[in-house]
Amino acid sequence: MATTDPVVRVRDVVRTFGDVRALDGVSLQFDPGIVYALLGPNGAGKTTLIRVLTTLLRPDAGDVEVAGIDVLTDPTAVRTRIGLAGQFAAVDEYQTGRENVEMVGRLYGLSAADTRRRAADVLERIKLTEAADRQVKTYSGGMRRRLDLAASLVGQPQVMFLDEPTTGIDPRSRMDVWELIEDLVASGTTVLLTSQYLEEADRLADRIGVIHNGRIITEGTSDELKDKLGGAVLEVGIDELDRLAAMTALAAATGEEPVHDQARDRVRVPARDGAGTLVAAVRALDSAGISPTDVALHKPTLDDVFLALTGDQPPGYEPAADPAVAAEERSA
Amino acid sequence: MSAVTTALPSRVSLSKTVTDTVVITRRNLLRNVRLPQLLLFATVQPVMFLLLFNYVFGGAIGQTIPPVAGGEYINWLMPGLLIQISAFGAGQTAIGLTEDMSKGVIDRFRSLPMARSAVLTGRTFADVLRNAAVVSLMLAVGFAIGFRYQTSFPLFVAGVLLALSFAYALSWVMATIGLLVHSPEAAQSAVFLPIFPLVFASSVFLPTQTMPDWLRVFADHQPITVITNALRGLMLGEGALLPGQTVGGQVLASLAWIVGITAVFAVLAVRTYRRAVS
Ligand SMILES: Nc1ncnc2c1ncn2[C@@H]1O[C@H](COP(=O)(O)OP(=O)(O)OP(=O)(O)O)[C@@H](O)[C@H]1O
Ligand SMILES: [Mg+2]
C-alpha cells in the first residue's frame, strides 16, 4: 500500500488575542479516514484551532495544510473540500430543515437538481426525512445539532470539522450524534472533532490530542493515553474490622496493590480491566465473607488527564457533567 | 482530484457570485416572510409617526408650509417620512448582520466555497427589498388619509425610487456599524446614533427656516435634507424648494450623496468584515 499523505498538517501555529496566546505553537498531523479528537477544557484553544483549519482565522505564525492544500495561500480550494459544524448550531430557525440543507448545497456550488437530490439523501441519512419540511424552530436541540452537522455533508466534504458536537444536548441525542459520526467515517470522511469529554473521545476517536493553554500536551491512541493515566480505579468502602482481610483478597483478585485512602476511608485499587476487575473484586470479597459498604468504578476523567499530565487543574476548569460516565458508574 | 500546488489561489467565478448573492438575498428575505410580525412591527412605527404627525401637528403647521402642498400638511409630510423610514429601516442591516455573527451563521458562510461579497450584498439587497415593502404599506396608508402627489405619476415613482436608493446607501453605513459593534444588543442602540440627529435636524418634518442659524446651516446641507428636498421637488413641484434651488439640481445632489455614501461605506464595510471575522 502506498503511503498516504496526512489530510491535516499543522506546524508551529501561533495565534494571539492581545495578551492571550490562544495557540502557542501547535503542531499535529494525521492520516485520512480517521476520527481525530482534540480534547481540552474551556479556553484551551480548541475553537481557535478549528477556526484556523477552516480558513476563518489567520494564524500569526506557522503552516497549515488541509487535504494537501495550504490554507493560507488557497483558502477557496480548501473550502470546497471541508465541512464545518461550529460550537453552536448555525441553522436558521425560520427555514425548514430541507431549506437549510439546500441553501448550503447551493453555496457549495452544486446545481439546483444535484442540490435537491443530495439534500434528500442527507436528510434520509440523518433520519430527519419526516421533519424535513418543518421549520427548524420546532426541532429539539438534538435535531438541530444533527441538522447543523449534516448540512455540510451535502457538499460531500473530505474532512469534517466538528466543534464540540455533543455539548449541551441530552444523552439520547448524544448517542444519535455519535452514530452519525461513526457512519460518516465508515463512508470515508475524515473527522476532526473537539470535546471536553474523555468518554466521547474514547468512543469515537482513533487518535486523541490533548490541548491545554494553546499547546498539545500529549497525543496518541485512546489506549496509549489510558496507559499514561493508569486506567480506571476501583474504590471500595469496607468496615474497619474487615479492612486487612479485604485488602489481601483484593490484591489476590486483581494482582495489584490496594491502598487505603485515609481521607475518604476507601480502599483503592487500579482496575486495569474496568468492569472485569470490578466483578472479580466483588467475587473475591464475597468468598472471603466480606460485604463492602460501597463499591465504585472510577474511570479517568479529563480532570485526571490534567492532574496526571500537568500536575495541575486547568485554571477555571469546571468539571463537565458527563451523563455517559455517570450512567456507567451507577450501573457498576 | 489533484492537489497540485499552484501559485494562483482559486477564485469564485462571476456566475457563482451571482448565484450566491441570490441565495443569500432569498434566505434573508425569507425571514421576513416566515416571521411576518417582523414586517408588521417595522410598519407600525412609521404608520404611527404618519398618523401622529399628521393629526397632531397638521393643523398648526399646515399654515406655515409652502402653498405647493395645497394647504395639506400630509402632502408636505409624506416625502419626509419616506426618507425617515428608509433611514430607520436601514438600521436592520446592522441588526441582521450582528445576529448572524453571534449565531455562527457568518462562520458557516465563510467556511463554504462561496463568494465572500455575497454575504454583505445579499444582506443589503434583502434589506432594501424589505424597505420597499414597508414604504409601499406606508404609501397605501398615506393615500388613504389624503396624501396626493401634485406633479405626475412618473415623477412620484422617481421620488420613491430615490428614497429606496438612499435606503440602500444607508444600509452600507449600517453594515459597517454592525460589523464594528459585533453584538446585536449594541447594534440596536448604535444605529440610532447617527440617524436621530440627521433625521430631526433636517427638513423631514418642518421647513428649516425657523431653526437657529448654526443648526439651519447644518440642516440645509446634510444629505437627509438634500434628499428630502429632492423628493418634495419631485412629488410637489419646484415651489417646495428654497429660493434658487431647482428640482434637477436637488436630484443631482441627492444622487451624488447616494453614490458617494455607497462607494465609501461599501469599501469600509468589506474591510471591516474581513477584520471583524478574523
Ligand atoms: N476573538 C477573540 N478575542 C479575544 N480572545 C479570544 C478570541 N477567541 C478566543 N480567545 C481566547 O483564546 C483562548 C482560547 O479560546 P478558544 O475559544 O479557542 O477555547 P476553547 O478550547 O474552544 O474553549 P471552549 O471549550 O470554552 O469552547 C481563550 O482564552 C479565549 O478567551
Ligand atoms: Mg470552543
Side-chain angles (χ1 to χ4, degrees), chain A residues 1-6 31-32:
Chain A
M1 203 176 96
T3 53
T4 44
D5 286 329
D31 293 334

Side-chain angles (χ1 to χ4, degrees), chain A residues 231-289:
Chain A
V233 172
L234 186 66
E235 282 193 352
V236 193
I238 305 270
D239 199 275
E240 204 188 325
L241 296 172
D242 294 330
R243 193 189 300 144
L244 221 61
M247 284 173 79
T248 315
L250 287 172
T254 61
E256 306 272 355
E257 186 151 351
V259 291
H260 180 233
D261 180 340
Q262 298 274 355
R264 304 179 51 213
D265 192 23
R266 290 283 184 283
V267 173
R268 292 168 62 96
V269 62
R272 293 259 164 225
D273 297 332
T277 308
L278 176 100
V279 172
V282 172
R283 281 212 186 106
L285 290 174
D286 191 44
S287 53

Side-chain angles (χ1 to χ4, degrees), chain B residues 165-201:
Chain B
S165 313
F166 180 60
Y168 186 71
L170 278 186
S171 256
W172 285 103
V173 179
M174 295 304 164
T176 311
I177 292 178
L179 292 165
L180 282 173
V181 301
H182 282 266
S183 84
E185 295 76 22
Q188 289 281 5
S189 26
V191 296
F192 289 112
L193 238 53
I195 292 294
F196 259 111
L198 285 177
V199 166
F200 283 91

